[in-house]
C-alpha cells in the first residue's frame, strides 16, 4: 500500500484549522466539498512524502518534521482555507 504522509498530515490537521478559522473569522463552510477543496489546495503546495507499507500507517511527529513541521502544514492549510472561503466552489 502506498501512502502519502502529507495527505495524512493534512487530513489530521484540517479539523484544527477549521476550528481556528471559525474562531478567528466567525464562520466557515465545513461541507465535504469545501473540506476537500481546502485539502487539495494545501496538498498542491506541500511536498508529497510517500511511504510503502503493508500495514496501516500512523502519523508521528518525526513524519511531520519531514514535511517541514506541523507549523508548515498548518500554515498551508490556513492559506488554503482562506482561499476556498473567499471563493467557495458552490452556491452559498
Ligand atoms: Zn462548502
Amino acid at each position: 500500500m502506498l501512502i502519502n504522509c502529507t495527505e495524512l498530515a493534512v487530513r489530521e490537521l484540517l479539523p484544527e484549522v477549521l476550528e481556528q478559522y471559525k474562531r478567528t473569522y466567525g464562520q466557515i463552510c465545513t461541507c465535504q466539498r469545501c473540506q476537500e477543496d481546502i485539502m487539495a489546495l494545501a496538498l498542491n503546495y506541500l511536498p508529497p512524502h510517500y511511504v510503502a507499507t503493508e500495514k496501516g500507517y500512523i502519523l508521528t511527529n518525526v513524519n511531520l518534521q519531514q514535511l517541514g513541521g506541523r507549523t508548515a502544514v498548518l500554515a498551508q492549510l490556513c492559506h488554503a482555507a482562506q482561499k476556498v472561503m473567499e471563493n467557495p466552489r458552490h452556491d452559498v
Side-chain angles (χ1 to χ4, degrees), residues 25-83:
Y25 298 99
Q27 59 174 16
I28 186 167
C29 180
T30 53
C31 75
Q32 184 90 9
R33 182 66 205 267
C34 286
Q35 290 198 30
E36 283 177 358
D37 273 346
I38 293 169
M39 287 195 285
L41 259 180
L43 282 168
N44 283 338
Y45 281 102
L46 289 161
H49 187 87
Y50 284 99
V51 289
T53 174
E54 281 168 22
K55 298 178 199 155
Y57 191 79
I58 295 165
L59 189 73
T60 63
N61 276 327
V62 176
N63 303 127
L64 271 175
Q65 284 314 316
Q66 286 168 337
L67 306 174
R70 185 188 168 83
T71 322
V73 178
L74 279 174
Q76 278 309 340
L77 270 171
C78 286
H79 184 69
Q82 190 119 30
K83 275 198 158 171

